[in-house]
PDB file of all heavy atoms in Angstrom:
ATOM      1  N   ASP A   1      87.834  94.760 121.271  1.00 98.00           N
ATOM      2  CA  ASP A   1      87.443  95.197 119.941  1.00 98.00           C
ATOM      3  C   ASP A   1      88.282  96.436 119.562  1.00 98.00           C
ATOM      4  O   ASP A   1      88.810  96.486 118.408  1.00 98.00           O
ATOM      5  CB  ASP A   1      86.041  95.759 119.840  1.00 98.00           C
ATOM      6  CG  ASP A   1      85.002  94.554 120.115  1.00 98.00           C
ATOM      7  OD1 ASP A   1      85.477  93.313 119.962  1.00 98.00           O
ATOM      8  OD2 ASP A   1      83.765  94.888 120.256  1.00 98.00           O
ATOM      9  N   ALA A   2      88.435  97.396 120.347  1.00 98.00           N
ATOM     10  CA  ALA A   2      89.294  98.549 120.103  1.00 98.00           C
ATOM     11  C   ALA A   2      90.712  98.313 119.755  1.00 98.00           C
ATOM     12  O   ALA A   2      91.295  98.718 118.849  1.00 98.00           O
ATOM     13  CB  ALA A   2      89.289  99.521 121.358  1.00 98.00           C
ATOM     14  N   ARG A   3      91.360  97.401 120.574  1.00 98.00           N
ATOM     15  CA  ARG A   3      92.866  97.119 120.344  1.00 98.00           C
ATOM     16  C   ARG A   3      92.932  96.317 119.004  1.00 98.00           C
ATOM     17  O   ARG A   3      93.886  96.700 118.282  1.00 98.00           O
ATOM     18  CB  ARG A   3      93.290  96.254 121.503  1.00 98.00           C
ATOM     19  CG  ARG A   3      94.853  95.989 121.386  1.00 98.00           C
ATOM     20  CD  ARG A   3      95.783  97.233 121.147  1.00 98.00           C
ATOM     21  NE  ARG A   3      97.095  96.797 121.039  1.00 98.00           N
ATOM     22  CZ  ARG A   3      97.887  96.489 121.927  1.00 98.00           C
ATOM     23  NH1 ARG A   3      97.617  96.703 123.249  1.00 98.00           N
ATOM     24  NH2 ARG A   3      99.268  96.213 121.582  1.00 98.00           N
ATOM     25  N   GLN A   4      92.027  95.462 118.739  1.00 98.00           N
ATOM     26  CA  GLN A   4      92.190  94.762 117.472  1.00 98.00           C
ATOM     27  C   GLN A   4      92.037  95.603 116.250  1.00 98.00           C
ATOM     28  O   GLN A   4      92.833  95.595 115.300  1.00 98.00           O
ATOM     29  CB  GLN A   4      90.983  93.658 117.447  1.00 98.00           C
ATOM     30  CG  GLN A   4      91.032  92.819 116.121  1.00 98.00           C
ATOM     31  CD  GLN A   4      89.947  91.653 116.166  1.00 98.00           C
ATOM     32  OE1 GLN A   4      89.245  91.373 117.092  1.00 98.00           O
ATOM     33  NE2 GLN A   4      89.845  91.013 114.958  1.00 98.00           N
ATOM     34  N   ALA A   5      91.077  96.548 116.391  1.00 98.00           N
ATOM     35  CA  ALA A   5      90.935  97.388 115.169  1.00 98.00           C
ATOM     36  C   ALA A   5      92.050  98.360 114.998  1.00 98.00           C
ATOM     37  O   ALA A   5      92.585  98.597 113.867  1.00 98.00           O
ATOM     38  CB  ALA A   5      89.648  98.335 115.535  1.00 98.00           C
ATOM     39  N   VAL A   6      92.733  98.917 116.129  1.00 98.00           N
ATOM     40  CA  VAL A   6      93.926  99.645 115.984  1.00 98.00           C
ATOM     41  C   VAL A   6      95.040  98.917 115.583  1.00 98.00           C
ATOM     42  O   VAL A   6      95.839  99.311 114.740  1.00 98.00           O
ATOM     43  CB  VAL A   6      94.109 100.316 117.367  1.00 98.00           C
ATOM     44  CG1 VAL A   6      95.641 100.903 117.525  1.00 98.00           C
ATOM     45  CG2 VAL A   6      93.189 101.481 117.577  1.00 98.00           C
ATOM     46  N   ASP A   7      95.218  97.630 116.050  1.00 96.00           N
ATOM     47  CA  ASP A   7      96.349  96.808 115.523  1.00 96.00           C
ATOM     48  C   ASP A   7      96.287  96.526 114.054  1.00 96.00           C
ATOM     49  O   ASP A   7      97.258  96.525 113.353  1.00 96.00           O
ATOM     50  CB  ASP A   7      96.457  95.541 116.324  1.00 96.00           C
ATOM     51  CG  ASP A   7      96.906  95.631 117.826  1.00 96.00           C
ATOM     52  OD1 ASP A   7      97.491  96.654 118.060  1.00 96.00           O
ATOM     53  OD2 ASP A   7      96.708  94.613 118.573  1.00 96.00           O
ATOM     54  N   GLU A   8      95.020  96.355 113.521  1.00 96.00           N
ATOM     55  CA  GLU A   8      94.942  96.035 112.127  1.00 96.00           C
ATOM     56  C   GLU A   8      95.275  97.180 111.270  1.00 96.00           C
ATOM     57  O   GLU A   8      95.801  97.222 110.291  1.00 96.00           O
ATOM     58  CB  GLU A   8      93.504  95.500 111.908  1.00 96.00           C
ATOM     59  CG  GLU A   8      93.198  94.114 112.470  1.00 96.00           C
ATOM     60  CD  GLU A   8      91.799  93.620 112.404  1.00 96.00           C
ATOM     61  OE1 GLU A   8      90.934  94.469 111.921  1.00 96.00           O
ATOM     62  OE2 GLU A   8      91.506  92.432 112.673  1.00 96.00           O
ATOM     63  N   ARG A   9      94.716  98.337 111.739  1.00 97.00           N
ATOM     64  CA  ARG A   9      94.975  99.622 110.966  1.00 97.00           C
ATOM     65  C   ARG A   9      96.410 100.164 110.988  1.00 97.00           C
ATOM     66  O   ARG A   9      96.884 100.686 109.994  1.00 97.00           O
ATOM     67  CB  ARG A   9      94.008 100.727 111.415  1.00 97.00           C
ATOM     68  CG  ARG A   9      94.045 102.051 110.594  1.00 97.00           C
ATOM     69  CD  ARG A   9      93.050 103.101 111.021  1.00 97.00           C
ATOM     70  NE  ARG A   9      93.205 104.317 110.251  1.00 97.00           N
ATOM     71  CZ  ARG A   9      92.585 104.535 109.109  1.00 97.00           C
ATOM     72  NH1 ARG A   9      91.956 103.612 108.456  1.00 97.00           N
ATOM     73  NH2 ARG A   9      92.812 105.763 108.446  1.00 97.00           N
ATOM     74  N   PHE A  10      97.043 100.036 112.188  1.00 96.00           N
ATOM     75  CA  PHE A  10      98.374 100.656 112.376  1.00 96.00           C
ATOM     76  C   PHE A  10      99.382  99.574 112.565  1.00 96.00           C
ATOM     77  O   PHE A  10     100.415  99.789 113.360  1.00 96.00           O
ATOM     78  CB  PHE A  10      98.388 101.465 113.507  1.00 96.00           C
ATOM     79  CG  PHE A  10      97.299 102.639 113.357  1.00 96.00           C
ATOM     80  CD1 PHE A  10      96.088 102.607 114.026  1.00 96.00           C
ATOM     81  CD2 PHE A  10      97.522 103.811 112.620  1.00 96.00           C
ATOM     82  CE1 PHE A  10      95.177 103.580 114.047  1.00 96.00           C
ATOM     83  CE2 PHE A  10      96.578 104.853 112.592  1.00 96.00           C
ATOM     84  CZ  PHE A  10      95.423 104.746 113.231  1.00 96.00           C
ATOM     85  N   LYS A  11      99.323  98.435 111.822  1.00 94.00           N
ATOM     86  CA  LYS A  11     100.314  97.394 111.878  1.00 94.00           C
ATOM     87  C   LYS A  11     101.698  97.934 111.610  1.00 94.00           C
ATOM     88  O   LYS A  11     101.969  98.569 110.605  1.00 94.00           O
ATOM     89  CB  LYS A  11      99.970  96.286 110.945  1.00 94.00           C
ATOM     90  CG  LYS A  11     100.895  94.967 111.146  1.00 94.00           C
ATOM     91  CD  LYS A  11     100.573  93.892 110.152  1.00 94.00           C
ATOM     92  CE  LYS A  11     101.384  92.695 110.318  1.00 94.00           C
ATOM     93  NZ  LYS A  11     101.014  91.623 109.446  1.00 94.00           N
ATOM     94  N   GLY A  12     102.632  97.697 112.537  1.00 92.00           N
ATOM     95  CA  GLY A  12     104.012  98.098 112.500  1.00 92.00           C
ATOM     96  C   GLY A  12     104.340  99.486 113.060  1.00 92.00           C
ATOM     97  O   GLY A  12     105.517  99.921 113.295  1.00 92.00           O
ATOM     98  N   MET A  13     103.293 100.272 113.410  1.00 95.00           N
ATOM     99  CA  MET A  13     103.441 101.570 114.082  1.00 95.00           C
ATOM    100  C   MET A  13     103.924 101.374 115.428  1.00 95.00           C
ATOM    101  O   MET A  13     103.429 100.540 116.123  1.00 95.00           O
ATOM    102  CB  MET A  13     102.181 102.400 114.031  1.00 95.00           C
ATOM    103  CG  MET A  13     102.336 103.780 114.567  1.00 95.00           C
ATOM    104  SD  MET A  13     100.755 104.674 114.340  1.00 95.00           S
ATOM    105  CE  MET A  13     100.927 105.325 112.722  1.00 95.00           C
ATOM    106  N   HIS A  14     104.839 102.315 115.917  1.00 95.00           N
ATOM    107  CA  HIS A  14     105.398 102.210 117.205  1.00 95.00           C
ATOM    108  C   HIS A  14     104.344 102.384 118.266  1.00 95.00           C
ATOM    109  O   HIS A  14     103.346 103.109 118.096  1.00 95.00           O
ATOM    110  CB  HIS A  14     106.512 103.062 117.516  1.00 95.00           C
ATOM    111  CG  HIS A  14     107.315 102.861 118.614  1.00 95.00           C
ATOM    112  ND1 HIS A  14     107.111 103.121 119.909  1.00 95.00           N
ATOM    113  CD2 HIS A  14     108.671 102.259 118.678  1.00 95.00           C
ATOM    114  CE1 HIS A  14     108.012 102.771 120.744  1.00 95.00           C
ATOM    115  NE2 HIS A  14     109.049 102.199 120.052  1.00 95.00           N
ATOM    116  N   ILE A  15     104.495 101.673 119.423  1.00 96.00           N
ATOM    117  CA  ILE A  15     103.406 101.741 120.479  1.00 96.00           C
ATOM    118  C   ILE A  15     103.209 103.092 121.102  1.00 96.00           C
ATOM    119  O   ILE A  15     102.246 103.269 121.863  1.00 96.00           O
ATOM    120  CB  ILE A  15     103.550 100.632 121.633  1.00 96.00           C
ATOM    121  CG1 ILE A  15     104.747 100.943 122.418  1.00 96.00           C
ATOM    122  CG2 ILE A  15     103.572  99.309 120.796  1.00 96.00           C
ATOM    123  CD1 ILE A  15     104.791 100.094 123.609  1.00 96.00           C
ATOM    124  N   VAL A  16     104.099 104.019 120.918  1.00 97.00           N
ATOM    125  CA  VAL A  16     103.904 105.375 121.448  1.00 97.00           C
ATOM    126  C   VAL A  16     103.948 106.439 120.414  1.00 97.00           C
ATOM    127  O   VAL A  16     104.137 107.612 120.599  1.00 97.00           O
ATOM    128  CB  VAL A  16     105.126 105.707 122.593  1.00 97.00           C
ATOM    129  CG1 VAL A  16     104.990 104.731 123.703  1.00 97.00           C
ATOM    130  CG2 VAL A  16     106.433 105.734 121.968  1.00 97.00           C
ATOM    131  N   HIS A  17     103.349 105.911 119.111  1.00 98.00           N
ATOM    132  CA  HIS A  17     103.113 107.004 118.134  1.00 98.00           C
ATOM    133  C   HIS A  17     101.831 107.773 118.497  1.00 98.00           C
ATOM    134  O   HIS A  17     100.960 107.399 119.276  1.00 98.00           O
ATOM    135  CB  HIS A  17     102.901 106.245 116.866  1.00 98.00           C
ATOM    136  CG  HIS A  17     103.005 107.121 115.609  1.00 98.00           C
ATOM    137  ND1 HIS A  17     102.003 107.944 115.161  1.00 98.00           N
ATOM    138  CD2 HIS A  17     104.078 107.343 114.759  1.00 98.00           C
ATOM    139  CE1 HIS A  17     102.401 108.652 114.118  1.00 98.00           C
ATOM    140  NE2 HIS A  17     103.611 108.123 113.840  1.00 98.00           N
ATOM    141  N   THR A  18     101.730 109.028 118.035  1.00 98.00           N
ATOM    142  CA  THR A  18     100.573 109.839 118.106  1.00 98.00           C
ATOM    143  C   THR A  18      99.220 109.160 117.609  1.00 98.00           C
ATOM    144  O   THR A  18      98.232 109.125 118.349  1.00 98.00           O
ATOM    145  CB  THR A  18     100.725 111.241 117.432  1.00 98.00           C
ATOM    146  OG1 THR A  18     101.747 111.987 118.138  1.00 98.00           O
ATOM    147  CG2 THR A  18      99.432 111.990 117.626  1.00 98.00           C
ATOM    148  N   ASN A  19      99.227 108.701 116.391  1.00 98.00           N
ATOM    149  CA  ASN A  19      98.059 108.371 115.703  1.00 98.00           C
ATOM    150  C   ASN A  19      97.290 107.218 116.222  1.00 98.00           C
ATOM    151  O   ASN A  19      96.108 107.166 116.488  1.00 98.00           O
ATOM    152  CB  ASN A  19      98.272 108.220 114.175  1.00 98.00           C
ATOM    153  CG  ASN A  19      98.688 109.491 113.572  1.00 98.00           C
ATOM    154  OD1 ASN A  19      99.486 110.331 114.147  1.00 98.00           O
ATOM    155  ND2 ASN A  19      98.278 109.741 112.410  1.00 98.00           N
ATOM    156  N   ASN A  20      97.986 106.073 116.521  1.00 98.00           N
ATOM    157  CA  ASN A  20      97.402 104.846 116.921  1.00 98.00           C
ATOM    158  C   ASN A  20      96.780 105.118 118.443  1.00 98.00           C
ATOM    159  O   ASN A  20      95.739 104.707 118.721  1.00 98.00           O
ATOM    160  CB  ASN A  20      98.398 103.616 116.924  1.00 98.00           C
ATOM    161  CG  ASN A  20      99.669 103.858 117.543  1.00 98.00           C
ATOM    162  OD1 ASN A  20      99.959 104.945 118.082  1.00 98.00           O
ATOM    163  ND2 ASN A  20     100.483 102.830 117.610  1.00 98.00           N
ATOM    164  N   ASN A  21      97.603 105.725 119.333  1.00 98.00           N
ATOM    165  CA  ASN A  21      97.158 106.035 120.606  1.00 98.00           C
ATOM    166  C   ASN A  21      95.956 107.021 120.696  1.00 98.00           C
ATOM    167  O   ASN A  21      95.115 106.901 121.434  1.00 98.00           O
ATOM    168  CB  ASN A  21      98.288 106.505 121.542  1.00 98.00           C
ATOM    169  CG  ASN A  21      99.242 105.519 121.948  1.00 98.00           C
ATOM    170  OD1 ASN A  21      98.956 104.732 122.714  1.00 98.00           O
ATOM    171  ND2 ASN A  21     100.411 105.411 121.250  1.00 98.00           N
ATOM    172  N   ALA A  22      95.958 107.965 119.628  1.00 98.00           N
ATOM    173  CA  ALA A  22      94.748 108.894 119.571  1.00 98.00           C
ATOM    174  C   ALA A  22      93.439 108.121 119.415  1.00 98.00           C
ATOM    175  O   ALA A  22      92.375 108.472 119.947  1.00 98.00           O
ATOM    176  CB  ALA A  22      95.077 109.817 118.505  1.00 98.00           C
ATOM    177  N   CYS A  23      93.599 107.087 118.517  1.00 98.00           N
ATOM    178  CA  CYS A  23      92.402 106.374 118.200  1.00 98.00           C
ATOM    179  C   CYS A  23      91.875 105.522 119.358  1.00 98.00           C
ATOM    180  O   CYS A  23      90.706 105.367 119.596  1.00 98.00           O
ATOM    181  CB  CYS A  23      92.655 105.399 116.931  1.00 98.00           C
ATOM    182  SG  CYS A  23      92.882 106.375 115.349  1.00 98.00           S
ATOM    183  N   LEU A  24      92.899 104.958 120.184  1.00 98.00           N
ATOM    184  CA  LEU A  24      92.439 104.228 121.381  1.00 98.00           C
ATOM    185  C   LEU A  24      91.805 105.222 122.345  1.00 98.00           C
ATOM    186  O   LEU A  24      90.795 104.897 122.938  1.00 98.00           O
ATOM    187  CB  LEU A  24      93.663 103.536 122.007  1.00 98.00           C
ATOM    188  CG  LEU A  24      94.245 102.399 121.244  1.00 98.00           C
ATOM    189  CD1 LEU A  24      95.412 101.752 122.006  1.00 98.00           C
ATOM    190  CD2 LEU A  24      93.250 101.223 121.064  1.00 98.00           C
ATOM    191  N   THR A  25      92.396 106.332 122.463  1.00 98.00           N
ATOM    192  CA  THR A  25      91.672 107.396 123.276  1.00 98.00           C
ATOM    193  C   THR A  25      90.253 107.626 122.913  1.00 98.00           C
ATOM    194  O   THR A  25      89.336 107.728 123.748  1.00 98.00           O
ATOM    195  CB  THR A  25      92.523 108.643 123.361  1.00 98.00           C
ATOM    196  OG1 THR A  25      93.962 108.427 123.699  1.00 98.00           O
ATOM    197  CG2 THR A  25      91.918 109.693 124.338  1.00 98.00           C
ATOM    198  N   ILE A  26      90.076 107.818 121.496  1.00 98.00           N
ATOM    199  CA  ILE A  26      88.732 108.108 121.134  1.00 98.00           C
ATOM    200  C   ILE A  26      87.866 106.883 121.288  1.00 98.00           C
ATOM    201  O   ILE A  26      86.657 107.051 121.811  1.00 98.00           O
ATOM    202  CB  ILE A  26      88.836 108.364 119.629  1.00 98.00           C
ATOM    203  CG1 ILE A  26      89.344 109.741 119.446  1.00 98.00           C
ATOM    204  CG2 ILE A  26      87.369 108.446 118.955  1.00 98.00           C
ATOM    205  CD1 ILE A  26      89.826 109.957 118.004  1.00 98.00           C
ATOM    206  N   PHE A  27      88.253 105.676 121.130  1.00 98.00           N
ATOM    207  CA  PHE A  27      87.483 104.513 121.374  1.00 98.00           C
ATOM    208  C   PHE A  27      87.103 104.355 122.815  1.00 98.00           C
ATOM    209  O   PHE A  27      86.008 104.117 123.212  1.00 98.00           O
ATOM    210  CB  PHE A  27      88.240 103.219 121.016  1.00 98.00           C
ATOM    211  CG  PHE A  27      88.382 103.069 119.518  1.00 98.00           C
ATOM    212  CD1 PHE A  27      89.457 102.359 118.917  1.00 98.00           C
ATOM    213  CD2 PHE A  27      87.470 103.612 118.667  1.00 98.00           C
ATOM    214  CE1 PHE A  27      89.492 102.182 117.546  1.00 98.00           C
ATOM    215  CE2 PHE A  27      87.556 103.438 117.306  1.00 98.00           C
ATOM    216  CZ  PHE A  27      88.576 102.693 116.793  1.00 98.00           C
ATOM    217  N   GLY A  28      88.032 104.677 123.696  1.00 98.00           N
ATOM    218  CA  GLY A  28      87.760 104.679 125.253  1.00 98.00           C
ATOM    219  C   GLY A  28      86.640 105.744 125.592  1.00 98.00           C
ATOM    220  O   GLY A  28      85.792 105.348 126.429  1.00 98.00           O
ATOM    221  N   LEU A  29      86.716 106.819 124.958  1.00 98.00           N
ATOM    222  CA  LEU A  29      85.664 107.830 125.150  1.00 98.00           C
ATOM    223  C   LEU A  29      84.288 107.443 124.569  1.00 98.00           C
ATOM    224  O   LEU A  29      83.252 107.694 125.143  1.00 98.00           O
ATOM    225  CB  LEU A  29      86.148 109.142 124.612  1.00 98.00           C
ATOM    226  CG  LEU A  29      87.189 109.885 125.349  1.00 98.00           C
ATOM    227  CD1 LEU A  29      87.843 110.983 124.527  1.00 98.00           C
ATOM    228  CD2 LEU A  29      86.684 110.435 126.674  1.00 98.00           C
ATOM    229  N   MET A  30      84.420 106.818 123.453  1.00 98.00           N
ATOM    230  CA  MET A  30      83.075 106.325 122.773  1.00 98.00           C
ATOM    231  C   MET A  30      82.448 105.185 123.484  1.00 98.00           C
ATOM    232  O   MET A  30      81.246 105.081 123.732  1.00 98.00           O
ATOM    233  CB  MET A  30      83.321 106.058 121.320  1.00 98.00           C
ATOM    234  CG  MET A  30      83.734 107.082 120.454  1.00 98.00           C
ATOM    235  SD  MET A  30      83.922 106.848 118.740  1.00 98.00           S
ATOM    236  CE  MET A  30      82.260 106.669 118.156  1.00 98.00           C
ATOM    237  N   ILE A  31      83.285 104.331 124.085  1.00 98.00           N
ATOM    238  CA  ILE A  31      82.644 103.160 124.799  1.00 98.00           C
ATOM    239  C   ILE A  31      82.094 103.699 126.275  1.00 98.00           C
ATOM    240  O   ILE A  31      81.055 103.209 126.660  1.00 98.00           O
ATOM    241  CB  ILE A  31      83.905 102.146 125.159  1.00 98.00           C
ATOM    242  CG1 ILE A  31      84.320 101.453 123.768  1.00 98.00           C
ATOM    243  CG2 ILE A  31      83.261 101.079 126.098  1.00 98.00           C
ATOM    244  CD1 ILE A  31      85.574 100.700 123.895  1.00 98.00           C
ATOM    245  N   GLY A  32      82.868 104.581 126.798  1.00 98.00           N
ATOM    246  CA  GLY A  32      82.535 105.043 128.125  1.00 98.00           C
ATOM    247  C   GLY A  32      81.561 106.118 128.282  1.00 98.00           C
ATOM    248  O   GLY A  32      80.769 106.386 129.208  1.00 98.00           O
ATOM    249  N   GLY A  33      81.472 106.958 127.177  1.00 98.00           N
ATOM    250  CA  GLY A  33      80.582 108.138 127.184  1.00 98.00           C
ATOM    251  C   GLY A  33      80.991 109.219 128.274  1.00 98.00           C
ATOM    252  O   GLY A  33      82.100 109.577 128.461  1.00 98.00           O
ATOM    253  N   THR A  34      80.025 109.380 129.134  1.00 98.00           N
ATOM    254  CA  THR A  34      80.255 110.388 130.312  1.00 98.00           C
ATOM    255  C   THR A  34      80.374 109.586 131.599  1.00 98.00           C
ATOM    256  O   THR A  34      80.470 110.262 132.696  1.00 98.00           O
ATOM    257  CB  THR A  34      79.108 111.357 130.419  1.00 98.00           C
ATOM    258  OG1 THR A  34      77.802 110.527 130.590  1.00 98.00           O
ATOM    259  CG2 THR A  34      78.973 112.219 129.282  1.00 98.00           C
ATOM    260  N   ASP A  35      80.585 108.308 131.614  1.00 98.00           N
ATOM    261  CA  ASP A  35      80.907 107.512 132.768  1.00 98.00           C
ATOM    262  C   ASP A  35      82.434 107.506 132.949  1.00 98.00           C
ATOM    263  O   ASP A  35      83.117 106.757 132.150  1.00 98.00           O
ATOM    264  CB  ASP A  35      80.374 106.049 132.542  1.00 98.00           C
ATOM    265  CG  ASP A  35      80.574 105.129 133.703  1.00 98.00           C
ATOM    266  OD1 ASP A  35      81.582 105.388 134.521  1.00 98.00           O
ATOM    267  OD2 ASP A  35      79.874 104.100 133.838  1.00 98.00           O
ATOM    268  N   VAL A  36      82.906 108.198 133.943  1.00 98.00           N
ATOM    269  CA  VAL A  36      84.402 108.453 134.058  1.00 98.00           C
ATOM    270  C   VAL A  36      84.950 107.060 134.330  1.00 98.00           C
ATOM    271  O   VAL A  36      86.048 106.825 133.712  1.00 98.00           O
ATOM    272  CB  VAL A  36      84.645 109.297 135.403  1.00 98.00           C
ATOM    273  CG1 VAL A  36      86.168 109.395 135.637  1.00 98.00           C
ATOM    274  CG2 VAL A  36      84.235 110.823 134.962  1.00 98.00           C
ATOM    275  N   THR A  37      84.589 106.332 135.132  1.00 98.00           N
ATOM    276  CA  THR A  37      85.068 104.915 135.526  1.00 98.00           C
ATOM    277  C   THR A  37      85.218 104.151 134.320  1.00 98.00           C
ATOM    278  O   THR A  37      86.254 103.478 134.047  1.00 98.00           O
ATOM    279  CB  THR A  37      84.402 104.312 136.673  1.00 98.00           C
ATOM    280  OG1 THR A  37      84.525 104.909 137.873  1.00 98.00           O
ATOM    281  CG2 THR A  37      84.963 102.843 136.805  1.00 98.00           C
ATOM    282  N   LYS A  38      84.049 103.972 133.412  1.00 98.00           N
ATOM    283  CA  LYS A  38      84.214 103.179 132.378  1.00 98.00           C
ATOM    284  C   LYS A  38      85.204 103.665 131.281  1.00 98.00           C
ATOM    285  O   LYS A  38      85.897 102.857 130.657  1.00 98.00           O
ATOM    286  CB  LYS A  38      82.840 102.963 131.568  1.00 98.00           C
ATOM    287  CG  LYS A  38      82.793 102.067 130.647  1.00 98.00           C
ATOM    288  CD  LYS A  38      81.317 101.540 130.354  1.00 98.00           C
ATOM    289  CE  LYS A  38      81.228 100.396 129.357  1.00 98.00           C
ATOM    290  NZ  LYS A  38      81.697  99.165 129.956  1.00 98.00           N
ATOM    291  N   VAL A  39      85.385 104.938 131.139  1.00 98.00           N
ATOM    292  CA  VAL A  39      86.299 105.482 130.181  1.00 98.00           C
ATOM    293  C   VAL A  39      87.733 105.227 130.569  1.00 98.00           C
ATOM    294  O   VAL A  39      88.543 104.651 129.850  1.00 98.00           O
ATOM    295  CB  VAL A  39      86.102 107.174 130.043  1.00 98.00           C
ATOM    296  CG1 VAL A  39      87.400 107.564 129.420  1.00 98.00           C
ATOM    297  CG2 VAL A  39      84.836 107.480 129.390  1.00 98.00           C
ATOM    298  N   LEU A  40      87.990 105.340 131.850  1.00 98.00           N
ATOM    299  CA  LEU A  40      89.416 105.156 132.436  1.00 98.00           C
ATOM    300  C   LEU A  40      89.624 103.594 132.349  1.00 98.00           C
ATOM    301  O   LEU A  40      90.658 103.132 131.846  1.00 98.00           O
ATOM    302  CB  LEU A  40      89.534 105.624 133.838  1.00 98.00           C
ATOM    303  CG  LEU A  40      89.423 107.038 134.103  1.00 98.00           C
ATOM    304  CD1 LEU A  40      89.620 107.329 135.515  1.00 98.00           C
ATOM    305  CD2 LEU A  40      90.269 107.894 133.203  1.00 98.00           C
ATOM    306  N   SER A  41      88.641 102.713 132.771  1.00 98.00           N
ATOM    307  CA  SER A  41      88.838 101.406 132.812  1.00 98.00           C
ATOM    308  C   SER A  41      89.141 100.781 131.435  1.00 98.00           C
ATOM    309  O   SER A  41      90.089  99.965 131.236  1.00 98.00           O
ATOM    310  CB  SER A  41      87.598 100.691 133.455  1.00 98.00           C
ATOM    311  OG  SER A  41      87.500  99.247 133.303  1.00 98.00           O
ATOM    312  N   GLU A  42      88.354 101.048 130.385  1.00 98.00           N
ATOM    313  CA  GLU A  42      88.407 100.482 129.074  1.00 98.00           C
ATOM    314  C   GLU A  42      89.659 101.007 128.339  1.00 98.00           C
ATOM    315  O   GLU A  42      90.430 100.299 127.653  1.00 98.00           O
ATOM    316  CB  GLU A  42      87.296 100.896 128.218  1.00 98.00           C
ATOM    317  CG  GLU A  42      85.980 100.191 128.716  1.00 98.00           C
ATOM    318  CD  GLU A  42      85.803  98.789 128.401  1.00 98.00           C
ATOM    319  OE1 GLU A  42      86.428  98.256 127.380  1.00 98.00           O
ATOM    320  OE2 GLU A  42      85.098  97.996 129.054  1.00 98.00           O
ATOM    321  N   THR A  43      89.949 102.276 128.587  1.00 98.00           N
ATOM    322  CA  THR A  43      91.120 102.854 127.881  1.00 98.00           C
ATOM    323  C   THR A  43      92.460 102.158 128.337  1.00 98.00           C
ATOM    324  O   THR A  43      93.284 101.852 127.602  1.00 98.00           O
ATOM    325  CB  THR A  43      91.161 104.382 128.014  1.00 98.00           C
ATOM    326  OG1 THR A  43      89.914 104.974 127.633  1.00 98.00           O
ATOM    327  CG2 THR A  43      92.330 105.017 127.290  1.00 98.00           C
ATOM    328  N   VAL A  44      92.537 102.166 129.689  1.00 98.00           N
ATOM    329  CA  VAL A  44      93.727 101.450 130.196  1.00 98.00           C
ATOM    330  C   VAL A  44      93.894 100.026 129.695  1.00 98.00           C
ATOM    331  O   VAL A  44      95.013  99.546 129.413  1.00 98.00           O
ATOM    332  CB  VAL A  44      93.803 101.505 131.795  1.00 98.00           C
ATOM    333  CG1 VAL A  44      94.910 100.529 132.333  1.00 98.00           C
ATOM    334  CG2 VAL A  44      94.055 102.980 132.176  1.00 98.00           C
TER     335      VAL A  44
END
């Protein structure tokens, strides 16, 4: 879900841009909460 949302919003943006990657980082934290393993797993 996270990757699809970011791909749709940032179509054409380079894969190492600040903004698209920032949103994936946020999604990883929101999915995983305070569960370290889930945050790392989903974000990668």
Side-chain angles (χ1 to χ4, degrees):
D1 292 347
R3 181 60 184 272
Q4 182 179 350
V6 163
D7 284 349
E8 289 174 356
R9 181 173 177 88
F10 300 101
K11 186 177 181 180
M13 182 175 278
H14 198 280
I15 68 167
V16 296
H17 199 283
T18 291
N19 294 37
N20 50 358
N21 282 285
C23 292
L24 289 183
T25 304
I26 291 166
F27 289 153
L29 289 163
M30 293 182 75
I31 293 168
T34 57
D35 183 331
V36 171
T37 293
K38 194 166 183 63
V39 168
L40 301 184
S41 172
E42 293 284 338
T43 306
V44 166

